[in-house]
Amino acid sequence: EQRKRLTIAVELVAKPSVLFLDEPTSGLDSRAALKVGNALRRVADTGCSVLCTIHQPSKEVFYCFDSLLLLQRGGKTVYFGDLGENSSVMTSYFVSNGAEPMQAEANPADYMLDQICAGVSANREAAQDWAEIWNNSPENKALIDALEGPDGRPRIVPEDAEHIHFDKKFARNFWTQLRVNIKRQMNVYWRTPEYNYARILSALVQALILGFSYFQVELDQNGANLLVAATFMAGLTALMSINNAVATVINGRVAFYRETSAGFYTPGAYYTPLLVTDQPFNLASQLLYSVTLYFLIGFKASGYGYFLLSVVLYGTWAISTGAMFGAISPTIDIGLILVPLMNAVLNLLAGFLITRNEIPPWYIWIYWINPTAYFMVGNMKNTLTGTEFFCTADEYLEFTYPGATDSSYEFPSCESIPAMQQYTTNPSNSTECVFCPITSGDQ
């Protein structure tokens, strides 16, 4: 009952000229139904026309209405006009056309349904064709005459009616709409703290799992590969948060449709607050995530600022993308199917699982618009540039010194061969040169 009254109040905020309701008392007990009926009566008394369908109301609720359009099976009109005090006008119409008089304490709604054999009396045949009686009645003729204009066609709007004119489409400007929606979304977060508690806890758990999986990576050749993998894995947490945004947007979409159709605000004034109000919680979760993950892995401390900025922006993109899928998906289930499909494509074509040079030409455009690729490349440059790597004894690569078989070779030793890596002579075999493949993150 309270939710129905609140829904009515929400519609009244826009000050409508006509308020339409579909069975507002259905599902309520008699006491709650009467409260809703009295609320509608007060709305009508303010000058707002209230049109609603009603199903077998109680006598007290029925007395709240001024006029009635009664239809029988097949959509045929049986009565259309004023009810009168205690429904006296309506009951007099039925009695004057051959119906039995209504008992003193009877419910007028039950009485009229019983006469036309509807409701609980639907299994028996009516004694008269009430639709035909209405079509030939003087009440129907008077109604048609009252609606006809000078040219003989029905006049929907009387000539003396005050014309309704609005200077602009919305009652408030965009900034007011934005401010109110931001405040409302903050209240939603305040009333449902479990959503943000869960995302912050999830960020911490994922950071601990990834951090200890790549804990204090050694700067040897294997460590160089692990740091690249850790950079790629660092972005997966944001991708997982897209699902949360999908469900949140779809659950709030009913209110969005109702309020935008009523002219409360523009779509931009609704979706922008979703992103704005999410930023404090996004920042909190990403700050906790980045501090835990970054220093557990052992990235250089000077690059943490860039890493924090990148995960916050990447998280913002993830929430925005989740809102997009929430807006276009008809149901939560379909949205949660589309998101993993997109994530799979973005991860596959981010340049890690398949290097950029090996991506087929018909897919390369996805790489250039892929936020995951930019996140990974940016953080690789940030964390690896200037980092020095070394080789363990079994990580050195070797090749035969060309001068050992060619006396005319221009470089007299392995050390003199110009190359990106420094070549040295193998101490155990002077005919072989050895080198460390990766010595700097700049490579």
Side-chain angles (χ1 to χ4, degrees):
E1 172 252 329
Q2 292 180 350
R3 294 181 65 178
K4 288 181 180 287
R5 292 169 65 188
L6 176 61
T7 302
I8 296 171
V10 168
E11 294 301 323
L12 291 175
V13 170
K15 295 182 178 180
S17 300
V18 181
L19 182 64
F20 293 92
L21 302 100
D22 183 19
E23 297 194 11
T25 61
S26 295
L28 303 179
D29 58 34
S30 58
R31 176 178 173 276
L34 182 58
K35 281 190 174 183
V36 172
N38 290 334
L40 295 177
R41 176 71 263 173
R42 290 193 294 270
V43 171
D45 290 340
T46 65
C48 175
S49 298
V50 179
L51 279 72
C52 71
T53 59
I54 194 107
H55 182 68
Q56 290 187 311
S58 65
K59 179 170 64 174
E60 291 76 12
V61 172
F62 194 75
Y63 285 158
C64 294
F65 295 94
D66 296 317
S67 303
L68 171 71
L69 169 59
L70 178 60
L71 304 177
Q72 71 176 21
R73 186 177 303 156
K76 298 178 180 179
T77 302
V78 172
Y79 179 79
F80 187 19
D82 292 337
L83 288 173
E85 185 177 358
N86 296 332
S87 301
S88 58
V89 175
M90 184 267 294
T91 54
S92 297
Y93 166 80
F94 278 99
V95 171
S96 65
N97 286 282
E100 299 177 359
M102 186 181 72
Q103 300 297 322
E105 299 300 324
N107 181 352
D110 293 337
Y111 167 77
M112 66 182 186
L113 293 177
D114 184 62
Q115 297 305 314
I116 66 173
C117 294
V120 296
S121 303
N123 294 327
R124 63 180 177 85
E125 292 292 332
Q128 307 179 73
D129 186 350
W130 287 101
E132 185 64 24
I133 292 175
W134 169 258
N135 290 334
N136 298 323
S137 68
E139 289 85 356
N140 182 42
K141 185 178 184 303
L143 180 64
I144 294 176
D145 291 342
L147 294 176
E148 283 187 352
D151 55 357
R153 294 183 301 175
R155 184 175 59 234
I156 304 301
V157 180
E159 294 180 356
D160 58 347
E162 181 181 355
H163 291 278
I164 301 174
H165 174 72
F166 298 98
D167 296 329
K168 49 189 178 181
K169 183 176 180 180
F170 299 98
R172 294 291 183 267
N173 60 41
F174 175 79
W175 299 109
T176 301
Q177 299 171 25
L178 196 66
R179 176 176 55 80
V180 173
N181 274 324
I182 288 175
K183 182 179 179 181
R184 181 174 70 170
Q185 190 61 30
M186 290 299 293
N187 287 334
V188 170
Y189 277 147
W190 178 260
R191 293 167 182 169
T192 55
E194 58 275 4
Y195 167 68
N196 286 302
Y197 287 158
R199 68 190 287 193
I200 292 174
L201 179 60
S202 175
L204 176 61
V205 171
Q206 292 177 69
L208 291 173
I209 293 174
L210 290 175
F212 282 110
S213 298
Y214 298 95
F215 184 70
Q216 297 298 307
V217 175
E218 291 286 342
L219 299 182
D220 55 11
Q221 301 303 288
N222 184 54
N225 294 323
L226 287 177
L227 288 179
V228 174
T231 303
F232 172 73
M233 295 295 293
L236 296 183
T237 300
L239 293 179
M240 294 175 64
S241 67
I242 298 179
N243 287 338
N244 299 331
V246 171
T248 300
V249 171
I250 291 180
N251 288 333
R253 206 162 53 182
V254 173
F256 166 74
Y257 287 153
R258 181 181 68 242
E259 292 167 359
T260 52
S261 63
F264 284 11
Y265 46 72
T266 64
Y270 175 82
Y271 282 105
T272 302
L274 292 182
L275 304 181
V276 172
T277 54
D278 189 77
Q279 289 311 302
F281 307 100
N282 177 45
L283 179 61
S285 61
Q286 298 298 347
L287 179 63
L288 183 61
Y289 171 77
S290 62
V291 169
T292 305
L293 176 66
Y294 194 86
F295 294 105
L296 280 178
I297 293 176
F299 287 129
K300 61 181 182 181
S302 59
Y304 172 71
Y306 177 88
F307 182 77
L308 173 61
L309 177 62
S310 67
V311 295
V312 170
L313 292 178
Y314 195 47
T316 302
W317 167 81
I319 296 298
S320 304
T321 304
M324 177 195 72
F325 278 106
I328 66 175
S329 301
T331 64
I332 293 179
D333 292 336
I334 293 179
L336 297 182
I337 291 174
L338 295 176
V339 170
L341 179 62
M342 180 204 69
N343 288 344
V345 173
L346 296 184
N347 291 332
L348 181 64
L349 302 177
F352 176 71
L353 301 176
I354 303 176
T355 61
R356 186 182 69 186
N357 295 333
E358 295 176 344
I359 295 176
W362 51 87
Y363 284 148
I364 193 63
W365 63 272
I366 299 179
Y367 172 85
W368 293 116
I369 64 171
N370 189 349
T372 304
Y374 290 104
F375 173 84
M376 178 181 170
V377 171
N379 276 295
M380 283 179 59
K381 291 184 176 181
N382 172 61
T383 56
L384 300 182
T385 299
T387 302
E388 299 296 329
F389 295 95
F390 64 88
C391 282
T392 59
D394 58 349
E395 289 179 333
Y396 281 97
L397 299 182
E398 59 183 40
F399 64 93
T400 302
Y401 170 57
T405 58
D406 184 3
S407 58
S408 63
Y409 188 62
E410 59 180 315
F411 300 107
S413 64
C414 294
E415 288 77 6
S416 62
I417 300 176
M420 182 180 296
Q421 295 87 357
Q422 178 62 51
Y423 299 148
T424 58
T425 302
N426 190 342
S428 60
N429 188 347
S430 61
T431 63
E432 293 183 345
C433 299
V434 297
F435 68 97
C436 187
I438 301 175
T439 57
S440 172
D442 299 340
Q443 294 176 227

